[in-house]
Amino acid sequence: MFHFLVLPRIRDDSDTSLLDNLHSLLNGDKQRASDILLDLREDVKNLRQEIEEEMMSRYGFKWDIWAGFHGTPSMEHLHLHVLSADLCSDRLKNKKHYNSFHPKLGFFLHLDDVFSWFEQEPSLYSSKARGLIPSTFEPLLKEDLSCFHCGCRMKNMPSLKVHLQTEWEKLEKASKR
């Protein structure tokens, strides 16, 4: 699994508290938030290209790459996760950690989805931005384990990891045909 964090560059002496997390960014000046996210999107585009080159070098094929934020961040500085869509890693050790990256559960907020909030009615944008609070997202980390590929429920992390490895091997085999 490839996993990187992308942090915004601070370009001036403005209020850096806006960069504490996604909640503070989106509840500040909307245009500044959009500009910062556009910069992050450009960084992701460049990083994605590097990851794909490394995928080809190591494995001989490419697969999806996700970019997104955690609904409740793990550290107090705005950061964007960029990771390969396999979730096969020895560092992924518990349900809470896995669920924080599950692409369909709702805790992992895809960058493109966050961008779509800017196109919605102002009241909907404000509602989304204000809703980025721990009580909204933390219960999602306690959801049952399920495979993000097929939705199959798993009773524990070891069985999920074996299942995810099997799914990845199927993807690898299909891509090399």
Side-chain angles (χ1 to χ4, degrees):
M1 180 163 96
F2 297 87
H3 186 182
F4 297 87
L5 295 181
V6 179
L7 284 72
R9 293 184 186 96
I10 299 172
R11 298 187 189 273
D12 54 34
D13 292 335
S14 60
D15 183 10
T16 58
S17 68
L18 292 175
L19 300 179
D20 284 349
N21 53 47
L22 189 60
H23 178 266
S24 62
L25 178 66
L26 297 182
N27 282 288
D29 178 75
K30 189 175 177 182
Q31 184 57 53
R32 179 167 160 95
S34 177
D35 291 344
I36 289 169
L37 292 176
L38 284 169
D39 285 347
L40 287 173
R41 180 188 268 172
E42 189 62 29
D43 291 339
V44 167
K45 180 181 169 187
N46 295 330
L47 179 57
R48 184 182 306 263
Q49 193 171 8
E50 289 179 39
I51 293 170
E52 288 176 344
E53 288 171 10
E54 188 65 23
M55 287 173 165
M56 290 302 294
S57 172
R58 284 191 200 179
Y59 302 101
F61 76 105
K62 301 184 283 193
W63 60 99
D64 288 341
I65 298 169
W66 301 327
F69 301 94
H70 281 157
T72 302
S74 56
M75 66 183 207
E76 279 301 312
H77 190 325
L78 181 67
H79 60 284
L80 178 68
H81 294 268
V82 180
L83 64 153
S84 57
D86 52 76
L87 300 182
C88 293
S89 171
D90 58 348
R91 293 178 183 94
L92 205 56
K93 295 183 189 255
N94 61 53
K95 176 169 79 167
K96 180 179 175 182
H97 198 204
Y98 172 77
N99 282 345
S100 74
F101 293 108
H102 192 299
K104 300 171 188 165
L105 201 57
F107 189 90
F108 186 78
L109 305 171
H110 296 272
L111 180 59
D112 289 339
D113 293 342
V114 173
F115 266 108
S116 75
W117 301 351
F118 287 85
E119 299 163 6
Q120 296 175 354
E121 294 294 321
S123 62
L124 220 50
Y125 171 87
S126 294
S127 173
K128 293 276 192 184
R130 282 191 315 271
L132 291 169
I133 54 175
S135 62
T136 303
F137 292 95
E138 287 177 356
L140 298 172
L141 298 175
K142 297 175 182 170
E143 291 286 322
D144 291 340
L145 289 171
S146 65
C147 173
F148 71 90
H149 292 282
C150 66
C152 183
R153 297 259 185 230
M154 297 289 152
K155 61 183 178 179
N156 56 40
M157 280 301 292
S159 61
L160 175 65
K161 290 177 95 160
V162 167
H163 179 80
L164 290 175
Q165 185 64 39
T166 301
E167 291 285 350
W168 191 85
E169 289 166 1
K170 283 191 235 176
L171 177 69
E172 181 181 32
K173 185 177 179 183
S175 70
K176 291 186 176 181
R177 286 185 190 163

